[in-house]
């Protein structure tokens, strides 16, 4: 319905792809679900016609620096339009 109404851009507060960190901050929608759904939403359902701005949080325990780099690269590889790290 959003897309059909003329949606041009969206902000997704993903925060983290680390399962333990997502549980710690009480994210109802955990990391693996996001990694499965976002590419489908961006590429198939909305056919790359909606700009994606993703919000991430750095420094959540037990996430490592390497995981942050991996998350950032994954978002880049998906063609995310903007990535905001807090």
């Amino acid at each position: 319905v959003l897309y059909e109404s003329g949606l041009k851009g969206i902000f997704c507060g993903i925060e983290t792809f680390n399962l333990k960190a997502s549980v710690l901050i009480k994210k109802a929608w955990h990391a693996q679900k996001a990694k499965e759904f976002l590419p489908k939403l961006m590429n198939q359902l909305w056919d790359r016609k909606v700009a994606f701005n993703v919000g991430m949080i750095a420094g959540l325990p037990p996430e490592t620096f390497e995981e942050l780099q991996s998350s950032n690269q994954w978002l880049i590889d998906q063609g995310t339009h903007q990535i905001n790290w807090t």
Side-chain angles (χ1 to χ4, degrees), residues 40-59:
K40 180 179 179 182
L41 183 61
M42 287 192 285
N43 301 315
Q44 294 173 7
L45 298 175
W46 290 348
D47 193 30
R48 309 258 343 125
K49 294 179 181 170
V50 175
F52 272 75
N53 180 348
V54 174
M56 301 292 288
I57 299 175

Side-chain angles (χ1 to χ4, degrees), residues 14-53:
I14 301 299
E15 281 73 61
T16 182
F17 290 125
N18 179 292
L19 181 57
K20 289 181 181 180
S22 64
V23 169
L24 182 69
I25 62 171
K26 299 182 179 17
K27 287 290 289 187
W29 198 52
H30 70 75
Q32 193 56 43
K33 288 182 182 179
K35 279 194 166 182
E36 292 171 5
F37 186 67
L38 284 178
K40 180 179 179 182
L41 183 61
M42 287 192 285
N43 301 315
Q44 294 173 7
L45 298 175
W46 290 348
D47 193 30
R48 309 258 343 125
K49 294 179 181 170
V50 175
F52 272 75
N53 180 348

